């Protein structure tokens, strides 16, 4: 019997079992996707370490999976089991539709996303279930047991407080998934811990647009997609030289200033929310190196194949909110305890005044607002403005070749 364990690389990040892709008695081959784990940042598949028959599932759906924990066991000599699975069995079919809609939004119930979905699917009132989970929490198994005992679709005597309080309003519930709940938790923690202040500058993108037009074809031939984000990341690393405290972490007794610039780039996942993969040691990379690294991380993010290492260790974050049409935003510091986050607004042509041959001239230039939101415990306006001044200067003076 060979143990299937939670990868050690997930250390420091909470994970839960989201789905078993094989059931007890199923034949598996080496490296077959076996179980899917979900952390607060990424979903990942754990492959079978050997070929054989899955004999035991020790951590079922929604169980917490700490690094090194045993998920299940594979029998390398066994044949396909004929007996019915002992755990992970399919839930009974849902009862016939009922008019009752349980209210699963009460935060005091501390229901997991899977339990909320099950309660809504089977029309089970979670307040009528005695939880067997840690601290009395209701588990998915508790809901399945209630359905099997015929407690689904309660009679109209069970109070539907939402219907009474919101009479006449039509709505439907969408249970929060783990990523959305973690985003909400991080946002609340960030604004609670850190006093946020935002400074706004304006940047002329003429130089980087011209450079990108001259070089993107050559980059593409080498398999690298040259995006504007690569310029932003490279310029951010350069700006750290004039205000190193921007790349730091607040502690109650000291300020920890990082020597490496590890930049997290906010990547939208549609309705799934936002994830921030991290490009490490940017200060050592060329523009091509930055572009290649970003391309790799974004592809992994959208394919949901990021690892724990891909989303940890960030020291600074960039949010390019302009790609979705926003002119200006004041992003919240996503990854506490980082000290700052850069926001890039929508690129658009604007009328500006420039001095040409000693005379003021009205010109049309590609412009965007750039904002730096800082933890005011860490830095003041002087460092903030010095950093933005250098960041804009690097973009506007990007060399032609």
């Amino acid at each position: 019997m060979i143990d299937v364990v939670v990868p050690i690389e997930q250390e420091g990040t909470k994970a839960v079992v989201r789905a078993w892709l094989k059931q007890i008695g199923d034949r598996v081959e080496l490296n077959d996707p076996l179980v899917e784990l979900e952390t607060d940042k990424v979903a990942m598949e754990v492959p079978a370490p050997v070929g054989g028959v899955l004999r035991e599932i020790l951590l079922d759906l929604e169980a917490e999976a700490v690094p090194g924990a045993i998920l299940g066991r594979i029998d390398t000599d066994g044949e396909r089991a004929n007996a019915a699975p002992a755990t992970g069995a399919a839930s009974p079919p849902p009862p016939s539709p009922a008019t009752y809609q349980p209210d699963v939004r009460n935060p005091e119930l501390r229901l997991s996303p899977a339990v909320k979905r099950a309660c809504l699917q089977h029309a089970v009132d979670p307040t009528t279930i005695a939880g067997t989970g840690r601290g009395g929490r209701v588990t998915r198994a508790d809901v399945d047991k209630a359905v099997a005992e015929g407690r689904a679709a309660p009679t109209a005597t069970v109070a539907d407080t939402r219907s009474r309080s919101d009479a006449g309003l039509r709505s439907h519930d969408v249970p929060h998934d783990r990523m959305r709940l973690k985003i909400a938790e991080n946002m609340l923690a960030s604004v609670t811990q850190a006093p946020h202040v935002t400074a706004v500058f304006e940047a002329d993108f003429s130089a980087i647009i011209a450079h990108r037009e001259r070089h993107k074809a050559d980059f593409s031939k080498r398999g690298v997609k040259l995006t504007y984000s690569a310029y932003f990341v490279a310029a951010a690393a350069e700006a750290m030289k004039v205000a190193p405290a921007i790349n730091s972490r607040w502690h109650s007794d000291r300020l920890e200033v990082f020597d490496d610039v590890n930049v997290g780039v906010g990547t939208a996942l549609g309705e799934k929310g936002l994830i921030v993969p991290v490009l490490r040691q940017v200060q050592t990379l060329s523009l091509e190196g930055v572009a290649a690294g970003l391309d790799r991380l974004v592809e992994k993010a959208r394919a949901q194949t990021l690892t724990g290492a891909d989303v940890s260790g960030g020291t600074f974050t960039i949010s390019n909110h302009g790609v979705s049409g926003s002119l200006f935003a004041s992003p919240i510091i996503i990854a506490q305890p980082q000290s700052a986050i850069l926001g890039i607004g929508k690129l658009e042509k604007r009328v500006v005044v420039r001095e040409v041959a000693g005379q003021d001239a009205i010109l049309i230039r590609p412009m965007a607002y750039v904002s730096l939101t800082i933890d005011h415990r860490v830095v003041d306006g002087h460092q903030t403005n010095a950093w933005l001044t250098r960041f804009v200067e690097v973009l506007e003076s990007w060399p032609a070749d």
Side-chain angles (χ1 to χ4, degrees):
M1 299 283 280
I2 303 298
D3 293 340
V4 181
V5 300
V6 179
I8 298 299
E9 69 177 15
Q10 290 300 118
E11 186 172 2
T13 303
K14 292 182 180 179
V16 296
V17 178
R18 187 165 76 173
W20 276 93
L21 308 178
K22 300 288 185 178
Q23 297 302 317
I24 290 178
D26 285 353
R27 178 77 192 179
V28 298
E29 302 299 334
L30 175 64
N31 292 326
D32 275 356
L34 187 61
V35 57
E36 189 175 77
L37 304 181
E38 185 175 63
T39 75
D40 51 356
K41 296 179 179 179
V42 297
M44 63 175 295
E45 291 180 347
V46 178
V50 293
V53 175
L54 181 61
R55 288 299 189 200
E56 296 182 37
I57 291 178
L58 301 181
L59 294 182
D60 213 334
L61 299 182
E62 296 301 313
E64 185 173 334
V66 299
I70 300 175
L71 293 158
R73 292 189 173 97
I74 295 174
D75 184 354
T76 57
D77 297 323
E79 299 296 330
R80 182 180 297 274
N82 295 320
T87 59
S91 303
S96 57
T99 57
Y100 174 76
Q101 185 83 344
D103 189 354
V104 298
R105 296 175 295 178
N106 184 351
E108 294 183 359
L109 296 177
R110 297 179 299 151
L111 303 179
S112 71
V115 171
K116 288 181 181 180
R117 286 192 291 269
C119 287
L120 291 170
Q121 176 186 358
H122 299 293
V124 174
D125 182 359
T127 62
T128 67
I129 301 176
T132 61
R134 186 181 305 174
R137 293 183 66 174
V138 176
T139 67
R140 176 59 190 268
D142 295 331
V143 178
D144 291 342
K145 181 180 178 182
V147 172
E149 293 174 351
R151 280 188 275 160
T155 64
T157 58
V158 178
D160 184 352
T161 56
R162 183 187 61 181
S163 297
R164 290 206 312 270
S165 62
D166 298 338
L169 294 180
R170 300 181 60 185
S171 67
H172 66 280
D173 290 324
V174 179
H176 300 307
D177 59 24
R178 184 173 176 81
M179 181 177 288
R180 176 51 59 187
L181 287 171
K182 194 61 183 180
I183 289 173
E185 180 183 318
N186 287 344
M187 294 299 99
L188 180 60
S190 182
V191 297
T192 301
Q193 295 173 14
H196 287 62
V197 173
T198 300
V200 184
F201 278 42
E202 199 172 20
D204 185 339
F205 281 22
S206 298
I208 62 173
I209 288 175
H211 184 275
R212 180 171 178 266
E213 287 300 315
R214 281 193 296 271
H215 295 281
K216 66 179 181 180
D218 290 336
F219 276 53
S220 181
K221 290 177 182 177
R222 296 191 292 273
V224 177
K225 185 178 180 181
L226 181 58
T227 65
Y228 290 124
S229 292
Y231 294 92
F232 305 150
V233 170
E238 183 65 27
M240 295 302 179
K241 296 177 182 179
V242 301
I246 298 296
N247 193 49
S248 69
R249 175 179 296 178
W250 171 269
H251 296 276
S252 59
D253 61 341
R254 69 193 188 283
L255 190 64
E256 181 182 7
V257 181
F258 297 104
D259 299 320
D260 286 332
V261 182
N262 297 341
V263 180
V265 179
T267 304
L269 300 178
E271 295 300 320
K272 286 289 291 181
L274 177 78
I275 198 164
V276 186
V278 176
L279 185 62
R280 297 172 179 272
Q281 297 183 327
V282 174
Q283 79 281 1
T284 67
L285 301 177
S286 65
L287 179 65
E288 184 171 347
V290 171
L294 289 179
D295 196 24
R296 176 183 61 83
L297 288 171
V298 170
E299 287 298 319
K300 291 180 70 175
R302 290 175 178 160
Q304 298 187 29
T305 58
L306 289 170
T307 66
D310 291 326
V311 293
S312 62
T315 62
F316 181 75
T317 301
I318 297 177
S319 175
N320 188 4
H321 54 84
V323 297
S324 57
S326 171
L327 285 175
F328 168 74
S330 177
I332 293 172
I333 298 173
I334 298 173
Q336 285 288 350
Q338 290 180 20
S339 298
I341 181 170
L342 175 68
I344 308 291
K346 179 183 177 181
L347 175 63
E348 63 175 6
K349 292 180 180 180
R350 297 180 196 150
V351 175
V352 298
V353 177
R354 295 286 187 267
E355 186 173 303
V356 179
Q359 299 292 323
D360 287 343
I362 297 176
L363 305 174
I364 297 176
R365 292 291 178 86
M367 307 291 293
Y369 295 113
V370 295
S371 64
L372 188 67
T373 299
I374 52 94
D375 181 343
H376 214 344
R377 298 173 302 173
V378 177
V379 294
D380 298 319
H382 173 72
Q383 297 104 312
T384 305
N385 292 338
W387 192 97
L388 277 172
T389 297
R390 181 56 180 156
F391 176 78
V392 171
E393 181 180 71
V394 171
L395 294 182
E396 294 186 343
S397 61
W398 201 277
D401 297 318

